[in-house]
Amino acid sequence: MAIQWFPGHMNRAKKALQELSEEIDIVIELLDARAPFSSCNPLIQNIIRFKRKIRILNKSDLADPEISKVWLDYFSQQENTTAILGDKDNKKQRDKIIRLCKELAPARGTSFEKPLRVMITGIPNVGKSTLINQLVGKKAAKTGDVPAVTKANQRLYVSDTFVIFDTPGMMWQKIRYPQIGYNLAICNSIGRNALDEELVALYLVEFLQQSIYRDSFAARYKLKPEQLELHYDKLLDVLANKRGCIMSGGVIDRQKISEIVIQDFRDGKIGKISLETPELWDKWISEFVEEEEQSTAEEEMHTRPEYEYNEEEQKTTRPNRTSAKKK
Ligand SMILES: Nc1nc2c(ncn2[C@@H]2O[C@H](COP(=O)(O)OP(=O)(O)OP(=O)(O)O)[C@@H](O)[C@H]2O)c(=O)[nH]1
Ligand SMILES: [Mg+2]
């Protein structure tokens, strides 16, 4: 299943983001610490390519701290980028980010005429408005735990000479790797109308079974070792029984158990979990490229005219374009 979600307002938001970026000194891009690669929107990267950036791996309170360190290292090596962790409950975060912005644009924010202009951007529901409220010191931007709460750019003030812009969460039209769609769905950055919770839960269950988090997964649902070895499809039924997700007539309510497992993950009840590492991505990308090459080769076999399979016939009936051109 390929997950795609690009509601109409995001097209307008993209244009507005493009215009706004031209008058911006610093971009703060929020990534989800549980899935930093998946939450790195290529459309945003195109817009902010030449800007000074602070990349915040947000919701780090929910991610695996060891893997977050690896990602910090990964992003710190990118051009024009300072990478830090973000956590809405970290009391020191506000001062740290304001200090960083001032350091990165020392010539700005010195007077009314030269305000420091910072734009906050990122995928839906990653915590942009929450961070803005923290930076301006009051609840000025609307927040909520569903994607696409903010629908238009909003200008707010940290001080008279420090302007900050909240922007709508942005997705992109075509998600190339299926893992990105699933990871963003698990982290609640995709609208409910664009996904099938059961498929997302199956992906998550399989991931947890095979990951370094299998013990905390087993502990959360009191799974016996042999249950942990079941095929993920069967395991979802086991989880449903354990959580009493049974409809009348004894039918298993797979929708309900899917929603429970996904919500447990989002609430951090299965543990501090990172869904991806740079190493995993290397593996996924090479598998994807291999599959793509194979299916292109198969497609070509189907569409190639028959005479091309016949080497002998090919020699006699195929026009020699090079020599024809020379004449
Ligand atoms: N655990 C955790 N939750 C966070 C953090 N930051 C934000 N949230 C929660 O994430 C949800 C989304 O926050 P918002 O600030 O509305 O996200 P947004 O990026 O502005 O979302 P859109 O406007 O829809 O694009 C809210 O329920 C926040 O409380 C964080 O650091 N840790
Ligand atoms: Mg918002």
Side-chain angles (χ1 to χ4, degrees):
M1 178 194 64
I3 295 174
Q4 311 286 351
W5 188 53
F6 196 72
H9 79 271
M10 285 187 195
N11 231 336
R12 292 192 297 278
K14 181 183 143 196
K15 287 194 191 108
L17 195 75
Q18 237 150 1
E19 279 167 24
L20 179 63
S21 74
E22 279 159 27
E23 51 181 86
I24 282 300
D25 304 305
I26 292 166
V27 175
I28 297 181
E29 186 186 17
L30 262 64
L31 304 176
D32 193 309
R34 295 164 296 177
F37 184 89
S38 294
S39 52
C40 212
N41 179 343
L43 214 144
I44 295 178
Q45 306 322 307
N46 274 344
I47 297 173
I48 65 171
R49 190 176 304 159
F50 302 110
K51 295 282 173 187
R52 272 167 294 193
K53 289 176 274 284
I54 302 174
R55 285 222 164 93
I56 302 184
L57 305 192
N58 205 36
K59 305 196 181 184
S60 63
D61 51 306
L62 298 169
D64 183 327
E66 288 307 311
I67 293 178
S68 292
K69 277 189 214 158
V70 177
W71 281 115
L72 272 186
D73 206 39
Y74 173 93
F75 286 109
S76 298
Q77 286 169 26
Q78 296 184 345
E79 232 178 318
N80 287 330
T81 306
T82 307
I84 59 169
L85 296 180
D87 169 2
K88 70 177 169 46
D89 296 321
N90 180 349
K91 300 274 181 294
K92 294 184 186 155
Q93 171 165 285
R94 178 180 186 270
D95 291 350
K96 182 178 177 178
I97 294 172
I98 291 175
R99 186 167 19 92
L100 249 181
C101 289
K102 288 180 178 170
E103 277 170 19
L104 288 173
R108 304 290 313 184
T110 47
S111 65
F112 274 134
E113 292 77 36
K114 279 184 160 186
L116 175 54
R117 299 154 305 179
V118 176
M119 171 172 98
I120 304 219
T121 181
I123 58 159
N125 206 31
V126 70
K128 300 176 293 298
S129 301
T130 305
L131 177 64
I132 295 251
N133 288 340
Q134 197 178 52
L135 294 175
V136 300
K138 60 178 184 218
K139 197 170 174 347
K142 194 174 166 196
T143 63
D145 197 15
V146 279
V149 170
T150 307
K151 293 276 199 292
N153 293 345
Q154 188 182 359
R155 172 195 292 259
L156 296 147
Y157 289 87
V158 174
S159 72
D160 292 346
T161 55
F162 193 138
V163 191
I164 197 152
F165 294 88
D166 191 9
T167 66
M170 287 281 297
M171 285 298 298
W172 58 107
Q173 284 96 331
K174 188 156 177 16
I175 298 179
R176 188 164 183 222
Y177 305 107
Q179 288 91 344
I180 291 185
Y182 284 115
N183 286 349
L184 294 186
I186 293 168
C187 294
N188 204 7
S189 285
I190 306 271
R192 277 197 74 173
N193 57 345
L195 53 91
D196 177 332
E197 275 94 356
E198 192 179 319
L199 289 180
V200 174
L202 286 170
Y203 179 90
L204 178 59
V205 166
E206 188 189 11
F207 169 81
L208 292 169
Q209 267 181 305
Q210 294 175 0
S211 71
I212 52 172
Y213 313 109
R214 54 190 272 124
D215 291 345
S216 44
F217 173 51
R220 169 74 191 164
Y221 299 103
K222 299 192 172 56
L223 293 171
K224 297 189 186 109
E226 62 273 22
Q227 289 175 319
L228 201 52
E229 299 303 326
L230 287 171
H231 184 270
Y232 53 87
D233 195 56
K234 287 241 157 41
L235 185 48
L236 194 69
D237 287 345
V238 171
L239 295 172
N241 273 305
K242 282 183 178 282
R243 285 288 184 272
C245 300
I246 309 293
M247 297 187 283
S248 60
V251 179
I252 290 176
D253 192 343
R254 286 173 63 100
Q255 175 66 25
K256 192 167 172 200
I257 187 59
S258 298
E259 287 173 14
I260 288 175
V261 176
I262 295 170
Q263 196 57 47
D264 278 355
F265 172 88
R266 290 175 183 167
D267 293 340
K269 288 182 179 159
I270 309 175
K272 289 180 185 288
I273 295 174
S274 295
L275 294 167
E276 53 191 42
T277 60
E279 212 179 314
L280 253 181
W281 266 110
D282 283 344
K283 179 174 160 278
W284 287 339
I285 290 174
S286 61
E287 282 170 3
F288 183 86
V289 170
E290 225 170 82
E291 264 173 43
E292 228 179 20
E293 279 171 359
Q294 199 173 335
S295 70
T296 315
E298 278 166 13
E299 253 169 52
E300 274 176 11
M301 292 275 279
H302 285 294
T303 53
R304 228 183 264 171
E306 214 170 276
Y307 69 83
E308 285 202 3
Y309 291 112
N310 185 334
E311 280 296 311
E312 277 316 302
E313 202 184 347
Q314 210 176 5
K315 279 180 201 154
T316 51
T317 59
R318 223 177 175 190
N320 183 335
R321 283 179 202 201
T322 333
S323 54
K325 222 178 183 180
K326 274 182 190 159
K327 278 178 201 167

